[in-house]
Amino acid sequence: LLESPLNLSLRDELGQNFFIAVLGGFRSVVASLVELKTITAWEQSNWGLVDEYYSVCTRLQPREEHYWEHRAWHLAANARDHYLWDSRLSKESRSALAQQHVDKGLAVLRDGLEWLPNSWKLWDRLGFYSSMPWTEKPDHDAAAEYYAKAAETSGRALYWRLHVYQV
């Protein structure tokens, strides 16, 4: 039940005041405050900063499903859409950047499942982002496996149906 010990690199990312608050036992409060900072970065389509802030949140609260899910969503859906529709980029650049962010979102979910292996929600999102029709590299075999795991952990028949669709 003990959280992983804090390292000094987290102090550099948070700043001294937040780091002292974390040491004082306010990890969840600091994670919530850092998440609020993502709103401005999201509005400005600064996807690197959004990812960085959520990275801090997931390091402070690794067993909080919400942070993993939202970090992956911002990368695999919001950043992907932003790059797909950015007319300032060439078609090839748009496509490459969009897929790169989908891949990052999938990696975030896999990392989250290391902490929360029984989270049906993370298994569901992993299945969806792996097989969504607008990704350049849909992996239906992997999605079928992820949906089967979501069905197993949640007990919901919907996920078994999604598993069958992917097969």
Side-chain angles (χ1 to χ4, degrees):
L1 295 177
L2 294 175
E3 296 291 337
S4 57
L6 299 172
N7 59 33
L8 292 179
S9 70
L10 187 60
R11 178 180 177 213
D12 295 335
E13 291 178 38
L14 286 176
Q16 189 169 356
N17 290 337
F18 275 157
F19 190 72
I20 289 170
V22 168
L23 289 177
F26 294 102
R27 278 182 144 184
S28 63
V29 173
V30 172
S32 295
L33 292 172
V34 171
E35 185 182 27
L36 288 174
K37 292 173 76 172
T38 65
I39 295 170
T40 302
W42 169 66
E43 289 173 341
Q44 297 169 347
S45 299
N46 188 342
W47 305 113
L49 197 53
V50 169
D51 186 36
E52 184 179 325
Y53 287 150
Y54 270 111
S55 174
V56 170
C57 294
T58 57
R59 286 173 49 201
L60 288 173
Q61 292 291 105
R63 290 184 180 85
E64 178 55 51
E65 176 181 72
H66 161 84
Y67 294 130
W68 295 105
E69 181 187 10
H70 274 70
R71 183 178 176 195
W73 170 63
H74 278 298
L75 292 169
N78 292 337
R80 182 209 63 231
D81 286 350
H82 169 80
Y83 288 115
L84 279 178
W85 297 104
D86 190 344
S87 61
R88 296 172 296 171
L89 300 171
S90 69
K91 182 180 179 187
E92 294 78 18
S93 295
R94 289 194 311 254
S95 179
L97 286 168
Q99 188 59 47
Q100 181 182 26
H101 282 79
V102 170
D103 294 341
K104 280 184 181 181
L106 292 170
V108 164
L109 290 169
R110 287 186 193 101
D111 290 345
L113 286 165
E114 293 290 321
W115 288 94
L116 301 161
N118 294 322
S119 170
W120 62 268
K121 196 179 286 188
L122 296 184
W123 286 112
D124 165 57
R125 295 292 80 201
L126 195 54
F128 178 74
Y129 296 140
S130 294
S131 63
M132 58 187 170
W134 44 88
T135 186
E136 289 197 12
K137 302 184 300 188
D139 187 349
H140 298 289
D141 293 335
E145 178 185 328
Y146 301 144
Y147 281 130
K149 192 68 175 170
E152 177 187 323
T153 55
S154 72
R156 296 178 181 177
L158 164 71
Y159 293 119
W160 187 254
R161 186 177 326 138
L162 291 172
H163 160 76
V164 171
Y165 290 158
Q166 294 301 317
V167 170

